Amino acid sequence: MVNKKYFTFDKLEIETLKNDKELNRLFLENELNNYIETNDSKYLRHQLKNSIKAFGFCNFEKKSGLSRKTIYNIVNGKTEPKLSNFLKCLKAFDIKIKLC
């Protein structure tokens, strides 16, 4: 029996984003813009989760200043993030936004 290694789209995306921080940032910016237009956070949370996996949870925890529990609660939809926590997430990925 041959052991085949299958990749899901998410795994492929995470592996790609590990090597391309700019693409990671662009994916997040795109989903942030979609969220602003639709007010549906499902895809933004999903992209944030993949982006953090690519970045590495430990590295992201250090760079954002958020606890691992807070990060998991945000990406798994268990809690709505406070604006300050969400801004920390964006800052960790070098995403700047203007609030009008």
Side-chain angles (χ1 to χ4, degrees):
M1 187 170 169
V2 177
N3 184 6
K4 295 182 180 179
K5 190 173 186 178
Y6 293 99
F7 281 96
T8 63
F9 181 77
D10 283 343
K11 286 182 181 178
L12 182 60
E13 179 181 340
I14 290 165
E15 288 301 313
T16 302
L17 295 177
K18 281 181 182 178
N19 299 316
D20 194 338
K21 292 180 182 182
E22 179 63 16
L23 184 62
N24 198 347
R25 187 183 62 75
L26 290 173
F27 276 25
L28 275 170
E29 282 182 355
N30 182 60
E31 290 305 332
L32 179 59
N33 287 326
N34 286 339
Y35 168 71
I36 290 168
E37 291 176 14
T38 64
N39 204 30
D40 182 359
S41 65
K42 181 171 106 176
Y43 298 110
L44 178 58
R45 287 178 191 274
H46 182 79
Q47 186 59 53
L48 185 60
K49 187 175 195 174
N50 283 351
S51 293
I52 292 171
K53 283 182 179 180
F55 197 84
F57 270 92
C58 288
N59 293 333
F60 187 78
E61 188 177 3
K62 290 175 188 172
K63 189 164 184 182
S64 69
L66 297 172
S67 71
R68 187 172 290 236
K69 182 180 178 182
T70 298
I71 296 166
Y72 280 122
N73 286 341
I74 291 170
V75 298
N76 291 323
K78 292 182 180 181
T79 182
E80 285 294 322
K82 295 188 294 183
L83 180 59
S84 60
N85 289 343
F86 188 67
L87 292 174
K88 287 178 183 179
C89 289
L90 296 179
K91 186 176 180 183
F93 287 109
D94 297 323
I95 296 175
K96 296 176 176 79
I97 61 170
K98 291 182 182 180
L99 301 175
C100 302

